[in-house]
Amino acid sequence: MDTHRAAHEPRSPDLDQRETADNGFSRGWGFHFLPSEEYWFDCHAHLDKARSAAELRQVLHEWFSILDGYRLERINLFVTDADLFAACRAVQAETDRFSWFYFPRYDQADPDQIERAFESGAAGLKLHNAPIMRGLADPKVWQSAAWQQIFARLNALHKPVLWHVTQRVSRSPYHGGSENAYWSDRPDQAEPLDNDLLLADFLALVRRYPKIPFIGAHQLHIGLDKLSPLLDAHPNLFIDTSCGFFLRWSDDLYEQDRARYRAFFLDYRDRILFGSDTGLAPGEIDTYLIQAFLGHARFILQLHLPDDVLQAVACRNAERLLGLTGKQMQRRGNVRP
């Protein structure tokens, strides 16, 4: 086997086939080809301003008409408006590129409404702790009887929950994050609260409902040293790649950082879902949003992952948690991007 294909420098799996196929006639052709994602499944994107099935179709058409060239094939949108349930069901019947989570507010703990979302095709729920950080909601709101009823139902159905649990206290100009988001809105007279308490309350629910796949948005805003033992301790805890696992258009990783991240992805290959946190609205697709998506894809590709790990992170893990069947892709033309 070609020495270029050492274990730490994975290459496209078709190179192995060319070693022996046709008596090895094409052995070594394309030896530099890297593993490449079959396609991306963005598990974390927001649907904004759409008010009808037609506007939902418009968003999907505008986004895929550009991102198809970068191998985006599926997207999971967060839907806040219950009036869109029927529209989501209609569009979902037309294409397997679209899945969705219902995104209720903390004060919308309506088991019947959430059941209706599932009956309409929702694959899971999105939850957000911003109102708690801002002092608008009781920190124990998720412990209410209504929310506990909802979590018990999710547990019975094995439905996933993608949850924005905590928020860094700092600026993040690299990825465009504002200073002390949510926390800076908290009134001075509000009761004491911090990220450790929010994380502890979340993990208590993760333990209480072991059949719910809980997906921590933005890696729970914690580093790998703290994240690894949490993943080890909670088999139903997952993370998405949004915001933190990101590289700007001109950047590459330092080798020591690549090695550290790569080791993490190899260790937790089944626990990481690709996501971009993009907000999509009809008629508002632009280069800024495209770069936001591509920065997340670039990070993953710069890790030089083995093919099976790359496919797991790019699409297979999300498909498994959302109960979707994988796809065999047929690309346009003789040369695919």
Side-chain angles (χ1 to χ4, degrees):
M1 184 175 290
D2 196 315
T3 55
H4 283 287
R5 282 176 283 144
H8 62 287
E9 293 181 344
R11 307 298 168 118
S12 184
D14 55 283
L15 296 180
D16 290 338
Q17 184 180 7
R18 285 196 284 281
E19 287 286 316
T20 56
D22 193 20
N23 295 317
F25 178 83
S26 296
R27 182 184 296 119
W29 185 87
F31 73 86
H32 67 287
F33 290 174
L34 304 178
S36 61
E37 74 287 0
E38 184 64 18
Y39 54 87
W40 298 107
F41 182 178
D42 189 347
C43 78
H44 187 146
H46 296 261
L47 179 65
D48 297 328
K49 301 180 183 178
R51 295 293 178 265
S52 66
E55 291 187 335
L56 173 54
R57 292 186 190 99
Q58 179 184 350
V59 165
L60 296 175
H61 172 73
E62 292 175 350
W63 196 233
F64 281 115
S65 66
I66 299 171
L67 271 299
D68 177 69
Y70 299 95
R71 300 194 188 179
L72 176 67
E73 180 58 25
R74 280 179 158 164
I75 191 167
N76 186 56
L77 290 172
F78 302 146
V79 175
T80 60
D81 187 354
D83 290 338
L84 279 177
F85 287 178
C88 290
R89 180 170 52 195
V91 175
Q92 206 169 21
E94 299 165 1
T95 176
D96 63 359
R97 286 183 142 188
F98 164 63
S99 63
W100 61 287
F101 280 14
Y102 178 40
F103 184 179
R105 298 190 308 266
Y106 72 94
D107 56 355
Q108 291 178 317
D110 183 343
D112 292 337
Q113 181 91 301
I114 288 173
E115 195 70 36
R116 191 165 69 86
F118 293 147
E119 291 170 355
S120 299
L125 291 188
K126 164 71 189 297
L127 299 177
H128 206 306
N129 278 352
I132 297 175
M133 299 178 213
R134 287 172 167 149
L136 302 175
D138 186 327
K140 300 299 182 182
V141 63
W142 308 115
Q143 303 295 334
S144 70
W147 275 112
Q148 292 304 299
Q149 181 181 343
I150 290 166
F151 290 132
R153 180 61 172 154
L154 292 168
N155 197 63
L157 296 174
H158 300 193
K159 293 284 190 180
V161 175
L162 195 151
W163 201 324
H164 187 134
V165 178
T166 56
Q167 184 69 32
R168 69 186 189 284
V169 180
S170 61
R171 282 192 68 216
S172 181
Y174 186 87
H175 90 288
S178 61
E179 186 170 7
N180 301 346
Y182 313 131
W183 291 110
S184 60
D185 298 332
R186 190 171 182 81
D188 294 337
Q189 67 272 22
E191 62 184 287
L193 182 69
D194 60 22
N195 278 313
D196 284 320
L197 291 173
L198 289 176
L199 182 60
D201 287 344
F202 167 73
L203 292 175
L205 291 170
V206 172
R207 290 188 292 270
R208 189 179 307 164
Y209 298 103
K211 295 181 180 179
I212 298 177
F214 286 95
I215 306 163
H218 321 315
Q219 310 92 59
L220 297 169
H221 290 105
I222 57 178
L224 302 186
D225 289 343
K226 185 184 290 188
L227 191 55
S228 293
L230 292 186
L231 292 169
D232 292 339
H234 303 91
N236 59 325
L237 178 62
F238 300 79
I239 58 171
D240 74 19
T241 67
S242 62
C243 296
F245 295 165
F246 177 84
L247 271 176
R248 294 185 67 243
W249 65 272
S250 61
D251 288 350
D252 192 359
L253 291 166
Y254 293 122
E255 287 304 323
Q256 66 269 26
D257 296 342
R258 190 195 324 273
R260 188 177 178 196
Y261 275 122
R262 190 175 188 274
F264 178 84
F265 273 67
L266 293 177
D267 286 342
Y268 301 103
R269 63 187 67 194
D270 297 325
R271 313 286 287 279
I272 305 169
L273 284 67
F274 177 77
S276 71
D277 196 23
T278 310
L280 303 177
E284 297 185 13
I285 306 302
D286 59 16
T287 301
Y288 192 94
L289 296 177
I290 294 165
Q291 283 299 326
F293 174 89
L294 293 180
H296 291 89
R298 182 178 301 109
F299 177 93
I300 303 301
L301 295 175
Q302 289 293 344
L303 297 181
H304 303 164
L305 297 171
D307 185 74
D308 60 334
V309 180
L310 176 58
Q311 307 312 331
V313 172
C315 55
R316 303 306 181 202
N317 291 340
E319 288 170 340
R320 184 180 73 252
L321 292 193
L322 274 61
L324 300 174
T325 302
K327 305 179 68 173
Q328 295 295 320
M329 297 307 302
Q330 294 295 324
R331 292 287 172 179
R332 190 163 45 120
N334 292 326
V335 178
R336 58 188 266 179

